Amino acid sequence: MKNVLKEIISKKKDNIIEYKKNYSIKKIDENIKNRKDFIDFSAKLKERHLNKKLSIITEIKKASPSAGILINNFNHTDIAKIYVQNGSSFLSVLTEENFFLGKLDYISDIKKNHAIPILCKDFFIDTYQVSLAKSFGADCILIILSAVDQILAKDLYQAANDLNISTLIEIHSEKEAERALSFENSLIGINNRNLDTLKVSLKTTSELASILSSHKNPLICESGINSVDDIKNIISNTNIYSFLIGESLLKSHNIGEKLRQLTQISL
């Protein structure tokens, strides 16, 4: 299978060029100053984790390379409303334009109606994107270690720290897990999906959680969560209480009902 991640990164470089033409640093800084709706994503997740409360980070996306179009009549604000009304604690919003058909505008649209922490789910390869994401209302950014080297990852992490925006370091391998430990103030997400092949295995979380046991902040299980049993098994094996869930919700016949089933389990 061709390397999907490389294709995404290549297209993302072109998108950044266009953004820089339309959004100067001065304009971005002004937009950040004018926003009054930022939420400390990391602090809220830490608080819930310390109290052993289940946290579902529900994902909003129109499409993905692995599943294609997920919702034909896609409306990001309608989906956000359903999530919030049915127990979501956090939102993850796909903003990558070419493969996930996302937009940064989705974040600002949702923030107009809901005071909920939002992760900007994108492929960050330029520190410019960190400021840009915050200017649209993002409370947390994603740093995918398989997409960037350690120097760039540190630069993105520092840019986020300077802007008081949370970071989620995403890993998929033992080597990446070891790299992630140097990001002491970040959240760490274990992606069960291999971004090169798009194959998913929940064993990834169980195998990598032990390497990350010394990390002081919560770990997040990402991708492949389809049932209450999946959640219970991960909690039992790893003491992870935070889950990023997208496709199993978006592809269900009733998103709200499916989410209620997942959030109302007894721990």
Side-chain angles (χ1 to χ4, degrees):
M1 179 178 286
K2 58 186 176 181
N3 192 313
V4 177
L5 181 58
K6 286 184 178 179
E7 287 190 48
I8 294 173
I9 296 301
S10 178
K11 290 285 187 181
K12 176 54 62 175
K13 291 177 181 178
D14 294 334
N15 294 136
I16 293 171
I17 291 172
E18 291 303 310
Y19 277 121
K20 288 181 176 180
K21 291 178 182 177
N22 297 316
Y23 295 93
S24 66
I25 295 298
K26 181 179 179 181
K27 183 176 181 180
I28 289 172
D29 288 343
E30 289 176 355
N31 289 341
I32 290 174
K33 289 178 182 178
N34 290 331
R35 298 201 71 96
K36 307 298 180 185
D37 54 3
F38 295 115
I39 303 171
D40 193 329
F41 190 107
S42 183
K44 183 171 182 180
L45 196 73
K46 289 179 193 176
E47 180 183 3
R48 293 181 64 85
H49 178 78
L50 288 172
N51 292 308
K52 294 187 176 181
K53 289 184 178 180
L54 179 68
S55 293
I56 303 293
I57 306 168
T58 47
E59 191 150 88
I60 296 174
K61 61 182 174 183
K62 184 175 182 179
S64 75
S66 59
I69 299 292
L70 294 166
I71 298 181
N72 289 320
N73 299 316
F74 177 83
N75 186 302
H76 54 289
T77 55
D78 286 348
I79 296 170
K81 184 177 180 180
I82 292 170
Y83 281 158
V84 171
Q85 290 179 340
N86 289 281
S88 179
S89 307
F90 307 81
L91 297 180
S92 167
V93 179
L94 254 297
T95 59
E96 193 280 330
E97 304 84 352
N98 303 295
F99 293 80
F100 295 86
L101 306 182
K103 295 180 181 179
L104 279 165
D105 289 319
Y106 291 168
I107 296 176
S108 52
D109 290 344
I110 293 167
K111 273 291 185 79
K112 291 175 184 176
N113 299 306
H114 304 288
I116 186 169
I118 296 180
L119 164 69
C120 179
K121 190 87 175 286
D122 210 320
F123 295 79
F124 284 79
I125 57 172
D126 188 319
T127 55
Y128 167 86
Q129 292 172 273
V130 183
S131 299
L132 184 67
K134 181 160 184 175
S135 74
F136 277 85
D139 303 297
C140 184
I141 63 152
L142 182 70
I143 302 175
I144 304 172
L145 290 192
S146 61
V148 295
D149 61 28
Q150 195 73 349
I151 294 174
L152 178 52
K154 288 287 187 181
D155 287 344
L156 293 167
Y157 174 69
Q158 187 59 53
N161 285 343
D162 292 344
L163 286 167
N164 293 317
I165 184 171
S166 300
T167 55
L168 172 58
I169 303 292
E170 182 175 286
I171 63 148
H172 179 74
S173 68
E174 290 184 12
K175 185 177 180 180
E176 289 168 5
E178 291 166 358
R179 287 173 60 194
L181 289 173
S182 64
F183 300 88
E184 295 182 0
N185 294 320
S186 183
L187 302 167
I188 297 179
I190 302 173
N191 193 349
N192 297 305
R193 175 175 283 112
N194 184 316
L195 293 181
D196 291 335
T197 66
L198 301 182
K199 292 182 179 179
V200 178
S201 173
L202 293 183
K203 291 181 180 178
T204 304
T205 291
S206 297
E207 291 169 354
L208 298 182
S210 59
I211 298 175
L212 299 167
S213 60
S214 64
H215 189 64
K216 66 180 182 180
N217 289 332
L219 306 179
I220 299 167
C221 174
E222 304 176 22
S223 302
I225 302 297
N226 296 298
S227 67
V228 169
D229 285 342
D230 288 340
I231 291 176
K232 286 185 174 180
N233 287 337
I234 292 295
I235 292 174
S236 176
N237 292 330
T238 67
N239 286 321
I240 290 174
Y241 293 91
S242 304
F243 298 83
L244 194 154
I245 306 175
E247 290 185 14
S248 65
L249 289 170
L250 295 169
K251 292 165 71 175
S252 66
H253 71 280
N254 187 318
I255 295 174
E257 180 181 348
K258 175 77 170 180
L259 178 56
R260 286 196 302 276
Q261 291 174 357
L262 297 178
T263 57
Q264 293 177 0
I265 66 174
S266 57
L267 300 180

